[in-house]
Amino acid sequence: MSQEITVSKEDYLKAIIEAESEGHTVIAALLAQWLEVSAPAVTKAVKRLREDGYIEAGREGALKLTTKGREAAHRTALRHHLVERMLSEMFGMEWHQIHTEAERLEHAISPAFEAKLIEKLGEAGDCPHGNKVLPETPAQIKRRGLVALSEATENTDYVVASLYERDSGLLEFLHELGIGPKVAVRVQRRNYDNTMQIKTPNGSVTLGQSAAIRVWVRPNPASRETDEPRRRKKT
């Protein structure tokens, strides 16, 4: 592989399915931005991926995965998912640190080790950020019964169920605020400046819309169980 191509084929293919899940039309310029590589490097990588039968170029340069390319992207996504779960469930690594580590390790997983991880962890479980193996669109996430924190109802109790994991800075920021997987939260109010006041176990914090749209929550069943005896007592 040319030294100018600084990201592996697997990274390019996985980037395409990630970008597709966020509603992007994937073109070379987007991949350069997504993977933080130069335009010439992307041009060479795309040329090789096309020659090897992993992608096709459509109208106006839109890139699409072939069946072969999608299968390869899915395998990389599965290895990433397994590594994240391994780091969390077997080694106790913090949830806000494991994505970046998994990005480094996912390419080093051999088929034999992958099989052992599947045997140990299974393929169906969520990663520590609450995400499935393959990137999901917002519509797919909503079909799981989740709602973006930015759209959550005020004065209703929720539990954090899924986090956007591609942005390591966001994960660190949320961790510092005390907002993480399985954490109970409540939207106390929406502020005039488009921020939100969120109640967490560590106290009240302010969260902007750009972060809130990347946090997915579900109604907290524990709060309903707590409220039920209160309602009975009143009656």
Side-chain angles (χ1 to χ4, degrees), residues 128-142:
H129 308 102
N131 299 322
K132 303 299 182 183
V133 172
L134 296 177
E136 295 179 292
T137 65
Q140 289 172 322
I141 297 174
K142 288 179 179 179

Side-chain angles (χ1 to χ4, degrees), residues 62-227:
L63 303 175
K64 297 287 186 181
L65 293 171
T66 62
T67 299
K68 176 182 177 181
R70 196 162 295 278
E71 288 175 352
H74 288 187
R75 286 196 302 273
T76 304
L78 174 60
R79 290 199 300 271
H80 179 92
H81 186 85
L82 290 169
V83 170
E84 286 196 331
R85 291 189 59 200
M86 175 188 72
L87 293 173
S88 174
E89 297 174 31
M90 299 172 66
F91 294 100
M93 196 169 185
E94 292 283 350
W95 63 267
H96 60 284
Q97 299 173 327
I98 60 175
H99 176 78
T100 301
E101 199 66 37
E103 289 283 286
R104 300 188 186 103
L105 295 175
E106 64 191 30
H107 306 295
I109 299 296
S110 69
F113 188 39
E114 178 183 333
K116 285 295 183 183
L117 288 176
I118 292 173
E119 180 183 322
K120 179 74 174 178
L121 302 170
E123 296 184 62
D126 293 347
C127 81
H129 308 102
N131 299 322
K132 303 299 182 183
V133 172
L134 296 177
E136 295 179 292
T137 65
Q140 289 172 322
I141 297 174
K142 288 179 179 179
R143 283 198 289 272
R144 288 205 271 145
L146 308 188
V147 60
L149 185 56
S150 59
E151 300 174 0
T153 305
E154 289 186 33
N155 298 315
T156 300
D157 293 317
Y158 294 92
V159 172
V160 176
S162 176
L163 299 169
Y164 181 81
E165 63 180 270
R166 281 197 63 254
D167 187 342
S168 59
L170 171 67
L171 297 180
E172 290 287 350
F173 174 67
L174 293 173
H175 172 67
E176 291 172 2
L177 291 181
I179 297 175
K182 301 179 182 179
V183 169
V185 295
R186 171 185 283 234
V187 179
Q188 295 176 304
R189 68 174 182 273
R190 286 178 167 78
N191 301 318
Y192 180 77
D193 61 357
N194 214 28
T195 61
M196 306 172 71
Q197 209 66 27
I198 308 295
K199 180 182 178 182
T200 76
N202 295 336
S204 182
V205 299
T206 302
L207 195 66
Q209 287 292 303
S210 60
I213 61 174
R214 297 182 181 275
V215 178
W216 292 85
V217 297
R218 62 165 48 95
N220 189 346
S223 68
R224 292 199 296 267
E225 292 171 4
T226 302
D227 290 342

Side-chain angles (χ1 to χ4, degrees), residues 1 5-9 12 31 39-52 55:
M1 181 179 290
I5 302 177
T6 57
V7 183
S8 71
K9 291 178 183 178
Y12 278 94
L31 286 178
V42 173
T43 299
K44 290 189 176 184
V46 167
K47 181 176 182 293
R48 178 161 294 183
L49 289 168
R50 289 181 65 184
E51 291 173 348
D52 292 345
I55 62 174

